[in-house]
Amino acid sequence: MIENNHEGIFKLMLELVSVPSISATPGEIKMARMIYGKLEELPYFKNHPDYLKLLPINNDPLERQVVFALVKAGPSVKKTIILTGHYDVVAVEGYGALKEYAFDPVEYTRRLSKEKLPEDAAKDLESGNYIFGRGVSDMKCGLAIEMALLAEAAQNPCKLSANLAFLAVPDEENNSTGMRGAVSHLMELEKELGLDYIAAINCEPSGPGAPDDDHRYIFTGTVGKIMPFFYFVGKETHVGDYFNGLNATLMASYLNIALEARSDFIDFKGSEVFSPPTCLKLKDLRDAYSVTLPERAVAYYNLLTVSKSPAQILESMKRAAAEAFSMAVDHLRKTAASYSKKSGQDIGISWQTKVITYGELEEKVCRNFPGNMSEHVKHYIASLPESLDERDKAISLVGELLKYYPDKAPMIIVGFLPPYYPHRGNLGRTEEEKNVMKAVDKVIEEARQSYGIEMKVVEYFAGITDLSYFGFQGKAEELKALSDNMPGWREIYDIPLNELAKLDIPVLNLGPSGKDDHKYTERLELSYSLNITPRLLKFAVESLAKS
Ligand SMILES: [Zn+2]
């Protein structure tokens, strides 16, 4: 039995938290089974077993599953509202000696009271209105709220004006394998069960914008994230013969200066402005010490988007790479001039700027490849250690293809690495999008009238969420720049692009209130999250259903 009230949601949340469903571990499989098991006990799903499913994720070596449940409205309707969320959590290394209590919030909170905490966390602990633990905020409370609402709807489906679906996925904190795998299922289920998705609501947590901010937030979209990479091919030479070579790390350094935190790559919409590009990895590709200039290096960047397409980003990254290349050459020319003057030798620097895309590399190699290149690529990827990070697999594949690339001159190869999250906003283009905005207005009014709470609408949730995969807001061709330029597309990482381009479900995020997600001080604000969020969510669903 799941009760849709303060106690019921709290109890369910603790049960969900007790399973350590850390991304990419067997805990995720256990979590899916528990969620499924809880719903399976409801009389509604005993009578309608076809409406509760554990769905496989295509090509997932860990064999994780997506939980899907549906409560159909009494008088048959097509319109369906999806409640969604992720059931994985991030790791607990930061919990130190208290790690074993991370999944027992009551005990963990008790033990934290004996620890020295950062000021804001200490104040919250002292208030008694917060509970600490891994996943309490991100996002097992949100899942419990959704499940409780679904359970309540299942008791009396005749009262519903729209069908209520529930979709819980793994791996959101990692590569979003769950939600990417769910896209095709959503399309099939829509047909199979006669549904028409009018909105998807996520219950990711959001905290106050600043310590003195007492607004609550509702989000009508989610920011996009894309990861351009740069593979630098220099020229090796002994350090004693410096000017005969080109150090790949010099190009990488200039690229980082050209791109890190660069203001004209900051994407924004209205007054919502997002973080600038930042380098997530920059390394040479040599494993051993040598007195030779490093010939290869790689760097990849996090870029947040709310307007730019992969094709546009590829073009601007090519320009940044060309800029970096010529800055490196200028740098060497200055040094060579000074060296020539001192030594009396005539040293020239003749490197020509060369930037190609990964797609161009692949195409050229394919033309010259002795045999079947795609078979070779498949075998090569399969031969890489399973434990290797997806990004490192992709980078390794670039190196493999370079063996067959005829031109050995220095160059920079530009492409993308996984994961990719398209941005998704409410553009007010469709009837469904307009209805969602009307429902949002009603929720804000309800929050003010019934609870004296001021809610603010924010267009893009900045925290990167699975809501990105409820449809691509652009032309399908614009995604081609992504798939053509991601090494190991389909073998290492995949998004069902055709389905993604066809899906168009307006999204909302209306979640509980939490702080310090992913940290050892992750905590949930109890009164708002257990008393008010569930009522506002129910109100939002009812408003949408009636639209
Ligand atoms: Zn989350």
Side-chain angles (χ1 to χ4, degrees), residues 86 88 137-139 172-173 204-205 464-465 517-518:
H86 63 89
D88 62 315
S137 166
D138 188 11
M139 60 162 283
E172 192 263 1
E173 303 288 8
E204 287 274 11
I464 307 169
T465 70
D517 298 341
H518 300 203

Side-chain angles (χ1 to χ4, degrees), residues 283-352:
K283 60 176 178 182
D284 68 66
L285 294 171
R286 191 159 66 179
D287 334 304
Y289 166 77
S290 158
V291 275
T292 311
L293 303 195
E295 196 209 1
R296 305 274 172 96
V298 73
Y300 57 81
Y301 288 77
N302 189 79
L303 243 77
L304 298 180
T305 67
V306 286
S307 69
K308 296 191 179 94
S309 71
Q312 289 167 315
I313 287 166
L314 187 66
E315 284 312 308
S316 45
M317 293 303 116
K318 277 162 68 182
R319 283 197 296 275
E323 202 180 299
F325 198 121
S326 65
M327 283 159 90
V329 171
D330 282 352
H331 178 113
L332 290 175
R333 283 205 176 118
K334 277 183 203 145
T335 308
S338 156
Y339 186 96
S340 300
K341 218 166 137 191
K342 284 179 188 147
S343 68
Q345 292 174 47
D346 190 16
I347 305 281
I349 298 292
S350 55
W351 309 118
Q352 295 296 315

Side-chain angles (χ1 to χ4, degrees), residues 209-368:
D212 55 351
D213 177 4
D214 47 14
H215 284 94
R216 306 292 182 172
Y217 291 90
I218 184 160
F219 300 86
T220 57
T222 191
V223 75
K225 170 204 162 96
I226 190 161
M227 292 229 292
F229 79 88
F230 301 83
Y231 191 107
F232 306 91
V233 180
K235 192 61 122 188
E236 61 179 359
T237 185
H238 189 278
V239 293
D241 190 17
Y242 186 83
F243 294 103
N244 256 333
L246 174 57
N247 194 326
T249 69
L250 181 67
M251 291 192 280
S253 307
Y254 273 112
L255 191 269
N256 202 35
I257 286 171
L259 203 50
E260 176 74 22
R262 182 156 153 175
S263 59
D264 52 344
F265 287 134
I266 292 177
D267 210 357
F268 66 100
K269 193 139 181 235
S271 60
E272 291 182 28
V273 186
F274 296 87
S275 293
T278 190
C279 181
L280 297 183
K281 181 89 88 184
L282 189 160
K283 60 176 178 182
D284 68 66
L285 294 171
R286 191 159 66 179
D287 334 304
Y289 166 77
S290 158
V291 275
T292 311
L293 303 195
E295 196 209 1
R296 305 274 172 96
V298 73
Y300 57 81
Y301 288 77
N302 189 79
L303 243 77
L304 298 180
T305 67
V306 286
S307 69
K308 296 191 179 94
S309 71
Q312 289 167 315
I313 287 166
L314 187 66
E315 284 312 308
S316 45
M317 293 303 116
K318 277 162 68 182
R319 283 197 296 275
E323 202 180 299
F325 198 121
S326 65
M327 283 159 90
V329 171
D330 282 352
H331 178 113
L332 290 175
R333 283 205 176 118
K334 277 183 203 145
T335 308
S338 156
Y339 186 96
S340 300
K341 218 166 137 191
K342 284 179 188 147
S343 68
Q345 292 174 47
D346 190 16
I347 305 281
I349 298 292
S350 55
W351 309 118
Q352 295 296 315
T353 297
K354 184 178 177 190
V355 174
I356 64 167
T357 62
Y358 175 76
E360 286 162 350
L361 171 78
E362 205 182 59
E363 200 187 304
K364 187 109 183 221
V365 169
C366 191
R367 253 186 274 142
N368 302 303

